[in-house]
Amino acid sequence: MVSKGAGTEIGSAASNHPGKETADNWADSERGVALPNGTSTKMTPPTGSAGTAANGTETNIDASQATLHIKVQLPGSDIIDLQLPPQEMVQEIARVLMEREDTCHRTCFSIQHDGNILDNFAELASIEGLKDGSVFRVVEEPYTIREARLHIRHIQDLLKSLDLGDAYNGIECNSLSFLSSFSEGDIGETSTSGKRKRRSVSDQPLDTVECSPPECILPGAKDRPLSLLQPMAMDNKHLQCLKSLMMNGWNPPPGNRKMRGDLMYLNVITMEDRHISITASTRGFFINQSTAVEFNPKPDNPNNPNLLCHSLVDLLNQISPIFKKNFAALQKKRTNSHPFTRLATPLQTYSWIIPHKPHTIDFVRAENVYTSPICHEEHISGQIRDWNEELQITREMPSQNPMQQLMKEQTIFKVSSDFVAAAISGAMAVVDGSIIAINPGEYIKMQMFVWNNIFFSFGFDIRENFKESGGDHAAYAASSSDLKGIQAYSDVNVEGLHLLGTVIVDYRGYRVVAQSIIPGILEQEQEQNVVYGSIDFGKDVTSHHEYVGLLIKTSKPLRIQKHMILNEMDQPIMLCSSVDCKGIVGNDGRRYFLDLFRTFPPDLNYLPIAGEELHGECQRLGFPKEYRHKLCSVRPELVENFVQYKNIQFSELLKEKMRRRKSLMEDGEGTTETNDYISDAEVMKATCQEVGSINEGIFDIRFNLNVYAPDVRFPECELESLKVQKRLMKDIADFVVSVQIPSFIKDCEGHVLMPADGATMTDALHKYGINIRYIGKITQLISQSENKQYLEHISRLLIGEIITRVAKHVVVLYQQNVEISALSLAISHFLNCFLSSHNNGAAHLLPGELASRKKRNKRKMRIPENDLAWASLTRTELWKQINSEAVESFDYALACDGVDQAVDKFSLQKVSLLREFCLKAGIQILLRDYNFDNRHKPTFTEDDILNTFPVFKHIIVKSKDAERVYQRAQMNIQKGNIKNGFELLKESLNLFKNVFGPLHLDVCACLHMLAQLNYIIDDIPEAIKNQQKAVIISERILGFDHPNTIREYVRLGLYCFANNQNATALRLLYRARQLMLTVCGEDHPEVAVLDINIGLVLQTALDYDLAIRFLQKGLELNIKYSGPQALQTALSYHLLAQVNASKADFRAAMQHEKQAYIIYRDRLGETHLKTKGSSEFLKHFTQQAVNLQRTMNEIYKNGSNANLSPVQTTSQSKKMTLDQLNIINGIVLMETRKSALEKATEQMRNLILEEIHASQRLTKSLVGNGVDDQILVNGSEASREIVHNAEKTLINDEAETGCVASKVSV
C-alpha cells in the first residue's frame, strides 16, 4: 500500500536527475521508471494469464492485453488520458506526471482508485475493478520534514535542469552529450500528426546546403584546436527564474510552531528583487511575515486562501510573473530535449576537458554539503546500508524461471551500481582526508578506513606480504588481478561460494581498494578466521572439505586442476585453487572466498625460474624477462583461447592417428574386437598425453596454479602430474608470443582491428588475451615486419600508449608528495615538463610562495618546504624517468630527450598524448586552445587545471539471458534470417533495458544493430531513431570523444543522408572527423573511410572541389595502409574518377579510372564484372576527354565567333551514391548465399546501367555542341553485354568484400 509520500518516493528518485524519460517517448513498450542509477523497474511477466487482484480475486484485465486506456484526475479537476500496458506498475503513472510540464513539480501525492490508495509497485492488472476508462485520482498528501526537503531539492533541480554544470563536473551521474548541437532539430523530425516524416529532396535544396567545414577539419590541416570539441547549444541560454532560494536563519521552527504544522522556513529573492520569507508546513507553502531581524511566522495574508499552495512552484507562480514565464519556458525546453540526455547514467562518466563556467550560488546544495555524509556515516532512513548483506542476498535470489532470473539480474545490477558509487565517494574522501582511519597512529600508507560499511585500504604493501614478490609494485598489481579473479568466480556463480564486493579507485596518486566487510572479520585476527588456503604464501596451509566441494564446481569453467600439496606437518591436503586464496566463514555462516589474485596461470615469459627453459620462440624473442614484480599472470581470455587452440590440435591429432591406424588395418594386419577396443583407447590416451590433457580418456585442459609457487611442496603422487603442468605453463607462454601476437598483428594489418586510441587498443589486445606489458615487444615485432608500412598507425598508438602509461606511473608518485593547496600548480608544472616545448627549469611558484621561501623565519610558509620537491622537476629529468620506466615496464627503448623529439621520431600528436594522459591520470583541464610549441612561455598554467577525477575498476554485471538472445539474433542475421534475427534483437534489447536501464553499452550495441537492420529494410526514420539513441548512449557512457562514439556519428550521418537530410549528415560527419583528428590524428585508415563518406556526400551536394579534397585524402590513406594494388585503393580511384567527371575534368577522371582498371585486372582478372565495368568507364572517360578537348580547340580556333553552348555535365543519382556508401561502410544485406549473390548481381547491374546512362546523356550534350567523329561507347550494345555478363557472373565474396575500404563491425 502506498504511503502518504508515494509521490515523493518517485520524486526522490528523480530529484537528483529531474529529467526522466516520459512515457510517450518510450516506443515499443519501453516504459519503466528510471531508478537513480538509470535502471528500469519495468518487468515483463509471462503473458496469457488473467490479472489477479491483491486480495486474490480475478480482475477483468488480461495481462496479455496490448494497452489499457485510463484517465488520471489531477488536483484542480484536470483530467489526462494515458495508455499503459496492463503489466505496468502504478509508479509509472507517477513518473508520467513528474515528466509533464504542468505536473513535474509535484512530489508529495498518492494515487487512488475507487477511494483505495494503490501500492506503488502493484501491477495495473492486479487492481480490482480496473477496466478501460477507469479513473485514477491524484490526491495531495501532507508533508513531513523529509518530504518537504525532497520537494525543495526537486524544485531546485528543475530550475537547473538545462545547466551542464553537473555534467561538466561529474556530479550525480550527469554526463555530456552534444548530438543536439549538430542535429539542430532535424534528426527524428515529426509532423503535426505525431508521425515521423521522411523529408523529400525539396525540403532541403542542394544549393542551400552549407558544405564548408572549419579550416581545422579540412584534409591536411595541422591545427588541432580543442576549443571546438564541446560546442555550446545556441538555444541553451540559461533562463533564470529566481535570484535566490535558501534556508532561512530562523530554522528550526520552535515547539509552538511545530505543533501548528511548521516544518521549515525559506528565503526567496525573486527576479523582481522581492525578498520573501516562506513557511513549509504539512499543508503546503505560504508566505509568512518574518524578516531578517524579526521572527513572525504568521501568514502574510491570512484572508487569502490562495496563498497556501501544496507546491512551492504554484506559490512562486502567484508572486513572481517572471518566475511563471521563465519556469514554463524552462520546462518546455527540458521536455523537448531527447529523454536519453536527461536520464542518469548507472555510473559516473567524467570528461577530461571542460569549459570554464562561473560558479553559481546554490543554497540548497550548500546545505547538503554541510550535512554531507562525508566525515560521518551515511544514513538512509536512519540506518546504515549493510553492503555485504545486500550484495550477498541478491546473489542468493531464486532464478528458477525467466522472470525470477530477470528480477535477480536487475537487483544485482542496481545494488552493485549503488555500491560502486558509494565506494568511489568513500575512496575520494579517504584521499582527501575526510575520514578518520581505524589505525590513525600508523604511517599514512598503512592506514585503513571503515566508512558506510565499506573497508578501504591503500594499494601498498602495508604488511610486507609482497616483499619477496616486488613490494608496492606487486601490491598494486595484486589488486587488479584480484578483481579479475572476483569477476571470474562471479561469472561462474556457484551457489554457496560468496565473494566480496570490490572496487579499485585511483585518485590523486593513490590507489584505494574498497571492499564489503565480512561479518565478524574486524573483531579478530585474520589467522583465526582462515579455514582454507594460506596467509603466508604457502608455508602454513589448511583446507576444508566444504570449500573443496564448492571449488571443484568452479574448476572446469575456470580451468583449474584440483591437486594435493603438503602442509607444514608434511600431511597431504587437497586444494582447488591457488594457495594464496583464502576461505573465511563469516559470522553470518556464509563461506567467503578472497585474495584471488592468482586465479589464472603465471606468465612464465615474465617469471624467470632457475632450471626451467621456455620453448624456442620465447627464447628467440628474449624471454623470460625480469619484471618489476613476480605476480604476472595470463589473462582469462588467453586461457580460453589456448584451450580452444589445444582442442583443435587434439582433434587434428586424433584424426591423423585414427587414419594411420585404419591404414595399418587395411594393409592386412587383422585384429580382434578386443584388440580393436584397446587400440582405440591407446590412441585416445596417446593423443591426450600429447596435448597435455589431465584426463587420459577425454580432452580436458586444466592448470595447477601452484606449480611454480616458491614455498609450496607436493607429495610424490603429484610428481608425474607436475611434469604435465609445467609443460602446459610453458605451452601457454609460447602460445601468446607464437600465435596470439602474430594473429593480432595480422588482423591489424588486414584492418580487421582498427583501434584509434589507448582504450580501444587495450580492448583489442585483451580480446586476444595479450597483456599490456607485451606492447613493447609488439612494437618491436612490427618494426621488423615486412609490411610495417601498413602498421604505422598501430605502432604509433602502441608507442603513445607506452609514453602515457609511463607518465601516469611517474605522476602517481609525483602527486603523493604534493600538498593539496599546490596540486593544480604542481600538475600544470608536470604537464609543461611532459608536453611543452618550453624548456622550463623549475616551476613558476606563486609570488606568495617565493616570498615565504625567502622569509620563512618571519612567517609560516604557505607550502611546507619538504612539499616543494615537485617544483624542482625539469623536462630533462622527467623524460629520463620516462625512458628508464619504458625499458623497465615495457622493454622498449624510447631514446627521446623530450616530447619534441618523440613527436618527430614516432609521428605522434601532442593533443592525443594530452588526452590519453588526462584520461589515465584522472586530470581535468580547461577547454581552450593550447600552444605546445611556444619555447618562451609554458603551455599550461595553474588555472588550466580544473579538477582531478577518480579512475575506477569494478565487477561487470552481465545478463546471461539477454546475451544468449543477442547471440542468437546475430547468428540468425549472419545466416540471412533477417526476420527472426530482428525479433530476437528486439527481445534482447528489452531484456538488456529491463536489467540495466536504457543507458548501457549492451543497449547501445543492440540499438546500433537494430538501426542497421532498419536501414537495410528501408525503414530509414526508424533507423535514425535507433541510431540517435545509440549515439547519445555512447557519448554519455564512453565519452563524447570515444572512438565508438565517432563510429556511431558516422553511421548516423549515413542514415540522415539516406533520409535526404544532407546538411545534417555533413555536420555529423564533420563532427566525427573533428573528434578523430583529436583522438588519433589524420594518419589513420579509419579516416580514409570517413573522408570517402564526406566526399560522396559533398559530391551529392554539388561541391565537387571540396569532395575531391576529401576523396583524394581517402585515396592517399588507402594507398598507404592497404597498398597501391589493394581493391580498396581501386575503389578510391573509381570514386575520384566519378567526381572529376561530374565537374567535366575528364582527363583527371580518365587517369584515376585507368589506375582502378589496372588494379581490378591484375587482382580479379579480365572477365570479372568489376574489371569489365571499369573498362567501360575508362572508355567513356577517354571519349569525353577527347570530346572536351575538341570543344576547347574549336573555341580557341573561332574565338568569340564560335557558336557553342556551354558543356553540360550530369551528376550521379542519390541511389548510386547510397550504394557506394554502403560498400564503403561495409553494409550488406545478410541473406542466404543464393539470394545474396542474386541481389549483389542485380545491384551491380543497376549501378553500371545507371552510370552508363549518365555518360550517354553527357555524350549527347557534347554531340549537340557540334563535335563530330564521336567514339561511341557501343551504345545499348555495350549495356546489354554488361548486363548479360552481370547476370552470368557470380560475385566472388572475397573480391567483393575486398572492395570495402574498411569493415565497420555491427
Side-chain angles (χ1 to χ4, degrees):
M1 179 172 170
V2 175
S3 65
K4 65 179 181 179
T8 306
E9 293 301 325
I10 303 299
S12 63
S15 62
N16 293 340
H17 324 283
K20 301 301 177 188
E21 184 154 351
T22 62
D24 295 336
N25 289 322
W26 287 90
D28 301 326
S29 300
E30 296 174 355
R31 298 180 177 88
V33 158
L35 297 173
N37 68 342
T39 22
S40 169
T41 59
K42 171 186 175 284
M43 305 299 254
T44 307
T47 58
S49 58
T52 305
N55 60 3
T57 61
E58 292 196 1
T59 68
N60 298 325
I61 301 300
D62 188 351
S64 63
Q65 182 177 335
T67 56
L68 182 66
H69 299 265
I70 61 174
K71 297 180 182 294
V72 180
Q73 184 176 356
L74 305 176
S77 301
D78 293 335
I79 296 180
I80 61 175
D81 295 324
L82 289 180
Q83 296 183 15
L84 297 173
Q87 63 268 21
E88 197 59 83
M89 296 183 183
V90 174
Q91 64 180 0
E92 176 65 15
I93 301 176
R95 194 183 67 82
V96 170
L97 296 177
M98 296 191 66
E99 279 300 314
R100 291 173 55 89
E101 293 181 36
D102 54 344
T103 58
C104 63
H105 53 86
R106 300 186 182 276
T107 59
C108 189
F109 57 85
S110 63
I111 300 175
Q112 300 182 6
H113 179 256
D114 290 341
N116 299 319
I117 298 179
L118 301 179
D119 183 357
N120 225 20
F121 298 97
E123 293 181 7
L124 295 178
S126 66
I127 299 175
E128 184 178 2
L130 184 64
K131 57 184 179 181
D132 268 345
S134 293
V135 178
F136 290 80
R137 293 182 63 246
V138 176
V139 179
E140 296 173 342
E141 297 288 349
Y143 284 99
T144 64
I145 183 66
R146 175 178 178 272
E147 289 154 353
R149 286 182 177 273
L150 289 173
H151 180 80
I152 296 169
R153 177 62 186 274
H154 180 64
I155 299 304
Q156 185 72 7
D157 286 336
L158 287 175
L159 296 176
K160 296 179 61 178
S161 56
L162 294 183
D163 187 7
L164 295 178
D166 287 351
Y168 285 132
N169 296 321
I171 298 175
E172 295 177 353
C173 294
N174 289 284
S175 56
L176 298 170
S177 174
F178 299 106
L179 176 60
S180 60
S181 300
F182 300 94
S183 62
E184 296 183 2
D186 286 341
I187 298 181
E189 186 177 5
T190 57
S191 63
T192 55
S193 62
K195 297 181 179 179
R196 294 185 180 272
K197 64 177 182 180
R198 184 167 180 170
R199 301 184 59 174
S200 63
V201 178
S202 60
D203 289 337
Q204 193 176 25
L206 293 177
D207 56 0
T208 65
V209 176
E210 176 58 42
C211 301
S212 300
E215 288 291 331
C216 60
I217 299 179
L218 292 173
K222 300 299 181 182
D223 293 337
R224 300 287 184 264
L226 297 178
S227 56
L228 300 178
L229 286 181
Q230 298 183 3
M232 298 298 294
M234 298 179 61
D235 61 343
N236 200 24
K237 185 178 179 180
H238 181 61
L239 293 172
Q240 188 173 1
C241 301
L242 292 174
K243 287 187 176 180
S244 174
L245 171 63
M246 70 183 89
M247 294 297 169
N248 196 306
W250 297 112
N251 284 306
N256 64 322
R257 294 306 305 177
K258 287 183 179 180
M259 292 188 293
R260 297 190 181 187
D262 290 4
L263 300 175
M264 65 178 66
Y265 305 116
L266 307 173
N267 275 344
V268 172
I269 304 177
T270 67
M271 297 302 297
E272 295 87 355
D273 206 25
R274 180 182 176 187
H275 293 248
I276 301 170
S277 180
I278 296 177
T279 298
S281 70
T282 56
R283 297 176 299 157
F285 297 84
F286 62 86
I287 302 175
N288 61 46
Q289 301 179 32
S290 296
T291 65
V293 296
E294 180 183 358
F295 177 64
N296 186 353
K298 295 181 180 179
D300 185 50
N301 189 353
N303 298 323
N304 187 358
N306 292 329
L307 290 182
L308 175 63
C309 301
H310 192 266
S311 170
L312 179 60
V313 170
D314 290 338
L315 179 62
L316 294 174
N317 280 337
Q318 295 184 40
I319 62 179
S320 173
I322 297 180
F323 176 89
K324 182 177 182 179
K325 175 184 175 182
N326 288 354
F327 185 80
L330 186 70
Q331 298 316 307
K332 184 175 182 179
K333 283 187 176 183
R334 183 181 68 87
T335 54
N336 286 339
S337 62
H338 196 283
F340 279 20
T341 63
R342 296 181 274 125
L343 288 171
T345 56
L347 296 173
Q348 186 63 59
T349 303
Y350 298 92
S351 176
W352 65 278
I353 187 168
I354 62 172
H356 174 73
K357 291 185 69 67
H359 194 55
T360 56
I361 295 178
D362 186 343
F363 292 98
V364 175
R365 182 165 288 176
E367 186 192 18
N368 292 339
V369 172
Y370 296 141
T371 60
S372 169
I374 303 298
C375 307
H376 57 80
E377 293 293 353
E378 182 175 7
H379 291 71
I380 297 180
S381 301
Q383 295 182 355
I384 302 174
R385 293 185 73 170
D386 189 341
W387 291 111
N388 184 72
E389 182 65 22
E390 289 190 38
L391 291 169
Q392 305 309 329
I393 203 170
T394 55
R395 297 281 179 178
E396 296 170 347
M397 292 176 64
S399 56
Q400 280 75 24
N401 56 59
M403 188 63 185
Q404 289 181 346
Q405 178 69 22
L406 190 63
M407 180 67 77
K408 179 178 180 179
E409 291 174 346
Q410 184 191 60
T411 309
I412 290 175
F413 180 74
K414 174 67 172 63
V415 174
S416 297
S417 299
D418 289 349
F419 174 73
V420 172
I424 293 171
S425 177
M428 294 173 67
V430 165
V431 176
D432 291 337
S434 301
I435 299 177
I436 300 176
I438 59 177
N439 54 340
E442 300 284 354
Y443 180 55
I444 185 172
K445 292 184 178 181
M446 301 180 66
Q447 290 180 352
M448 294 172 285
F449 307 82
V450 174
W451 175 81
N452 195 14
N453 268 338
I454 304 176
F455 178 79
F456 298 92
S457 61
F458 291 111
F460 301 109
D461 187 17
I462 57 177
R463 296 184 179 179
E464 296 188 348
N465 291 332
F466 299 99
K467 183 178 181 180
E468 302 298 328
S469 302
D472 286 345
H473 292 305
Y476 189 92
S479 58
S480 296
S481 298
D482 182 41
L483 191 67
K484 294 176 191 173
I486 295 173
Q487 181 74 64
Y489 280 96
S490 177
D491 292 341
V492 175
N493 194 23
V494 172
E495 184 178 355
L497 189 65
H498 297 269
L499 307 168
L500 298 183
T502 304
V503 179
I504 299 174
V505 183
D506 293 323
Y507 179 63
R508 277 181 43 195
Y510 291 92
R511 166 158 287 192
V512 180
V513 181
Q515 294 177 306
S516 58
I517 302 174
I518 300 176
I521 189 67
L522 298 178
E523 300 172 3
Q524 49 189 323
E525 293 294 330
Q526 189 182 52
E527 294 82 352
Q528 302 174 7
N529 298 324
V530 175
V531 298
Y532 175 92
S534 173
I535 62 172
D536 51 11
F537 295 91
K539 297 177 182 177
D540 185 5
V541 190
T542 183
S543 184
H544 194 281
H545 68 279
E546 292 187 1
Y547 270 97
V548 171
L550 292 172
L551 293 175
I552 285 178
K553 298 178 182 179
T554 69
S555 64
K556 184 175 181 180
L558 296 182
R559 311 295 179 183
I560 298 175
Q561 182 189 14
K562 64 179 181 180
H563 54 279
M564 306 293 291
I565 68 170
L566 297 176
N567 61 12
E568 71 281 3
M569 294 180 290
D570 293 334
Q571 297 174 342
I573 60 174
M574 178 173 287
L575 293 181
C576 195
S577 67
S578 166
V579 72
D580 306 292
C581 299
K582 299 173 182 61
I584 297 178
V585 179
N587 287 352
D588 55 359
R590 296 188 177 102
R591 286 161 179 78
Y592 294 91
F593 200 47
L594 57 154
D595 288 349
L596 311 179
F597 54 88
R598 278 183 169 150
T599 299
F600 302 103
D603 188 353
L604 297 188
N605 289 328
Y606 290 92
L607 186 64
I609 299 175
E612 297 286 348
E613 290 187 359
L614 300 180
H615 295 333
E617 183 64 17
C618 295
Q619 294 185 36
R620 188 184 70 81
L621 295 175
F623 294 111
K625 296 180 180 294
E626 289 285 349
Y627 200 63
R628 54 170 55 188
H629 61 79
K630 298 180 180 179
L631 297 183
C632 296
S633 60
V634 302
R635 291 194 58 83
E637 298 92 342
L638 184 69
V639 174
E640 290 304 313
N641 291 335
F642 176 73
V643 172
Q644 293 177 12
Y645 173 79
K646 281 288 186 180
N647 194 9
I648 295 173
Q649 191 180 64
F650 170 80
S651 299
E652 293 175 350
L653 284 173
L654 185 60
K655 289 179 182 178
E656 179 63 21
K657 290 180 181 295
M658 296 299 290
R659 186 189 62 80
R660 290 179 181 178
R661 174 180 170 276
K662 183 179 180 181
S663 177
L664 290 175
M665 293 177 62
E666 290 176 351
D667 288 342
E669 299 181 9
T671 59
T672 63
E673 193 172 311
T674 305
N675 288 335
D676 242 355
Y677 173 77
I678 294 173
S679 180
D680 287 343
E682 288 177 350
V683 170
M684 178 65 73
K685 180 179 179 180
T687 308
C688 290
Q689 290 176 348
E690 195 167 342
V691 298
S693 173
I694 65 171
N695 193 321
E696 295 182 351
I698 192 173
F699 175 80
D700 191 2
I701 297 291
R702 304 188 194 189
F703 295 91
N704 182 341
L705 303 177
N706 295 318
V707 169
Y708 290 109
D711 295 319
V712 175
R713 298 173 298 132
F714 295 92
E716 292 185 3
C717 62
E718 292 285 339
L719 297 181
E720 193 65 30
S721 175
L722 289 178
K723 296 179 182 179
V724 177
Q725 287 297 318
K726 289 182 178 181
R727 195 187 82 183
L728 279 176
M729 295 291 185
K730 296 176 182 178
D731 286 348
I732 196 171
D734 179 72
F735 175 71
V736 68
V737 298
S738 62
V739 177
Q740 293 303 93
I741 290 179
S743 298
F744 172 80
I745 295 175
K746 181 180 178 181
D747 287 344
C748 289
E749 181 183 339
H751 299 166
V752 176
L753 298 173
M754 283 201 299
D757 70 343
T760 50
M761 174 64 74
T762 300
D763 291 341
L765 288 167
H766 287 174
K767 288 179 181 178
Y768 285 74
I770 303 172
N771 295 87
I772 291 297
R773 57 180 171 269
Y774 283 96
I775 60 177
K777 181 58 65 179
I778 297 174
T779 307
Q780 295 173 13
L781 291 174
I782 290 176
S783 65
Q784 301 166 5
S785 171
E786 296 179 356
N787 298 324
K788 60 182 178 181
Q789 68 272 18
Y790 302 142
L791 294 164
E792 284 187 16
H793 63 296
I794 300 298
S795 180
R796 188 165 52 248
L797 282 175
L798 291 171
I799 293 173
E801 191 71 0
I802 291 173
I803 292 175
T804 52
R805 282 180 176 268
V806 168
K808 186 198 75 169
H809 296 165
V810 176
V811 82
V812 162
L813 299 176
Y814 179 83
Q815 290 183 87
Q816 292 174 9
N817 299 319
V818 178
E819 188 193 6
I820 183 63
S821 61
L823 188 58
S824 59
L825 185 61
I827 293 176
S828 66
H829 175 61
F830 183 92
L831 287 174
N832 284 323
C833 295
F834 179 40
L835 294 174
S836 177
S837 298
H838 175 63
N839 191 11
N840 50 339
H844 294 264
L845 299 178
L846 297 179
E849 296 164 9
L850 292 173
S852 66
R853 296 180 69 182
K854 295 177 182 178
K855 303 177 181 180
R856 63 171 59 99
N857 295 328
K858 296 183 179 180
R859 59 185 177 88
K860 186 178 179 180
M861 294 176 57
R862 176 185 152 186
I863 301 177
E865 185 178 5
N866 59 352
D867 286 336
L868 284 174
W870 57 267
S872 61
L873 181 70
T874 63
R875 184 179 68 175
T876 302
E877 181 183 347
L878 173 60
W879 275 91
K880 282 183 179 179
Q881 294 183 47
I882 291 176
N883 280 276
S884 174
E885 180 99 4
V887 174
E888 180 183 355
S889 298
F890 302 105
D891 192 29
Y892 189 81
L894 294 171
C896 296
D897 297 332
V899 65
D900 293 325
Q901 185 178 358
V903 168
D904 294 338
K905 183 176 180 179
F906 302 114
S907 301
L908 302 176
Q909 187 174 251
K910 289 185 179 181
V911 168
S912 301
L913 293 176
L914 174 63
R915 173 184 176 272
E916 289 289 343
F917 175 76
C918 290
L919 289 173
K920 289 178 172 62
I923 296 173
Q924 193 176 68
I925 64 173
L926 177 66
L927 178 70
R928 71 174 181 88
D929 297 333
Y930 293 92
N931 185 1
F932 296 95
D933 301 324
N934 191 330
R935 298 183 178 274
H936 306 288
K937 184 180 179 181
T939 304
F940 300 92
T941 66
E942 183 180 14
D943 293 334
D944 292 325
I945 312 303
L946 299 184
N947 203 355
T948 57
F949 58 85
V951 180
F952 55 93
K953 303 177 183 178
H954 59 93
I955 299 300
I956 305 299
V957 179
K958 302 177 182 179
S959 176
K960 294 182 179 179
D961 287 346
E963 288 180 351
R964 187 160 47 247
V965 176
Y966 182 73
Q967 291 171 0
R968 287 174 54 200
Q970 287 182 311
M971 292 174 60
N972 275 270
I973 294 171
Q974 290 170 0
K975 293 177 181 179
N977 194 345
I978 301 295
K979 183 178 180 181
N980 287 347
F982 195 82
E983 295 301 321
L984 288 171
L985 201 57
K986 290 197 294 185
E987 181 183 349
S988 67
L989 176 62
N990 287 331
L991 289 173
F992 279 130
K993 282 185 176 181
N994 281 332
V995 175
F996 303 127
L999 298 184
H1000 193 271
L1001 290 182
D1002 289 332
V1003 176
C1004 180
C1006 281
L1007 288 169
H1008 176 96
M1009 185 176 286
L1010 270 176
Q1012 180 159 319
L1013 292 182
N1014 291 134
Y1015 176 75
I1016 289 173
I1017 64 178
D1018 202 31
D1019 189 358
I1020 307 299
E1022 194 67 19
I1024 292 176
K1025 172 187 171 184
N1026 288 325
Q1027 187 62 31
Q1028 182 183 13
K1029 292 180 180 179
V1031 172
I1032 296 174
I1033 294 173
S1034 185
E1035 276 188 312
R1036 299 202 58 207
I1037 299 296
L1038 295 175
F1040 70 92
D1041 57 351
H1042 192 277
N1044 185 75
T1045 303
I1046 298 173
R1047 297 184 185 106
E1048 302 293 357
Y1049 263 103
V1050 174
R1051 190 55 62 88
L1052 182 58
L1054 171 63
Y1055 300 157
C1056 288
F1057 177 75
N1059 201 39
N1060 296 316
Q1061 297 173 234
N1062 300 321
T1064 302
L1066 272 177
R1067 287 195 298 268
L1068 294 171
L1069 292 174
Y1070 285 153
R1071 170 63 170 175
R1073 195 175 204 275
Q1074 177 190 32
L1075 295 175
M1076 199 72 180
L1077 294 179
T1078 304
V1079 170
C1080 64
E1082 196 173 49
D1083 192 11
H1084 192 279
E1086 200 159 354
V1087 177
V1089 181
L1090 184 53
D1091 284 353
I1092 294 174
N1093 276 273
I1094 296 175
L1096 290 175
V1097 175
L1098 286 171
Q1099 181 183 359
T1100 304
L1102 308 182
D1103 193 336
Y1104 299 127
D1105 292 332
L1106 196 55
I1108 289 174
R1109 292 186 64 177
F1110 282 98
L1111 290 174
Q1112 185 65 43
K1113 187 62 182 179
L1115 173 62
E1116 293 174 7
L1117 292 172
N1118 278 332
I1119 292 175
K1120 179 175 183 179
Y1121 288 109
S1122 299
Q1125 295 299 313
L1127 296 177
Q1128 295 96 321
T1129 305
L1131 181 60
S1132 291
Y1133 276 122
H1134 174 67
L1135 296 176
L1136 266 172
Q1138 284 184 325
V1139 70
N1140 277 285
S1142 297
K1143 61 175 294 189
D1145 188 356
F1146 296 109
R1147 185 178 297 276
M1150 178 183 67
Q1151 294 172 351
H1152 289 305
E1153 192 61 46
K1154 182 178 179 181
Q1155 295 296 324
Y1157 170 75
I1158 292 173
I1159 296 173
Y1160 285 137
R1161 182 195 62 191
D1162 295 343
R1163 291 290 305 274
L1164 305 177
E1166 293 281 0
T1167 60
H1168 195 274
L1169 178 64
K1170 283 190 174 296
T1171 309
K1172 291 185 176 183
S1174 181
S1175 175
E1176 295 299 329
F1177 283 127
L1178 182 58
K1179 291 178 184 178
H1180 168 67
F1181 294 149
T1182 304
Q1183 176 64 49
Q1184 302 313 310
V1186 172
N1187 293 342
L1188 182 60
Q1189 186 61 46
R1190 289 178 178 176
T1191 302
M1192 298 303 297
N1193 292 340
E1194 184 70 19
I1195 294 175
Y1196 293 147
K1197 180 179 178 180
N1198 298 324
S1200 60
N1201 297 324
N1203 187 18
L1204 296 173
S1205 60
V1207 176
Q1208 298 178 2
T1209 60
T1210 57
S1211 59
Q1212 66 180 5
S1213 68
K1214 183 71 171 286
K1215 182 181 182 302
M1216 187 188 304
T1217 303
L1218 273 176
D1219 290 339
Q1220 293 169 343
L1221 284 171
N1222 292 340
I1223 295 174
I1224 293 299
N1225 291 283
I1227 298 179
V1228 293
L1229 185 57
M1230 293 159 285
E1231 300 173 332
T1232 61
R1233 179 174 179 82
K1234 181 179 179 181
S1235 60
L1237 293 174
E1238 292 174 350
K1239 187 173 182 65
T1241 303
E1242 180 68 18
Q1243 287 179 344
M1244 183 58 66
R1245 179 182 62 181
N1246 294 336
L1247 179 64
I1248 293 174
L1249 280 175
E1250 195 164 353
E1251 292 187 357
I1252 288 178
H1253 290 159
S1255 68
Q1256 288 174 345
R1257 290 193 298 270
L1258 183 59
T1259 301
K1260 291 179 180 178
S1261 69
L1262 291 174
V1263 172
N1265 292 332
V1267 181
D1268 53 2
D1269 298 331
Q1270 299 297 316
I1271 303 174
L1272 298 179
V1273 194
N1274 293 330
S1276 59
E1277 295 297 326
S1279 302
R1280 284 195 293 269
E1281 180 184 357
I1282 293 173
V1283 172
H1284 178 67
N1285 291 333
E1287 291 174 344
K1288 291 175 58 179
T1289 305
L1290 289 178
I1291 299 175
N1292 183 284
D1293 289 341
E1294 181 179 357
E1296 283 301 309
T1297 55
C1299 293
V1300 179
S1302 171
K1303 286 293 183 184
V1304 181
S1305 59
V1306 179

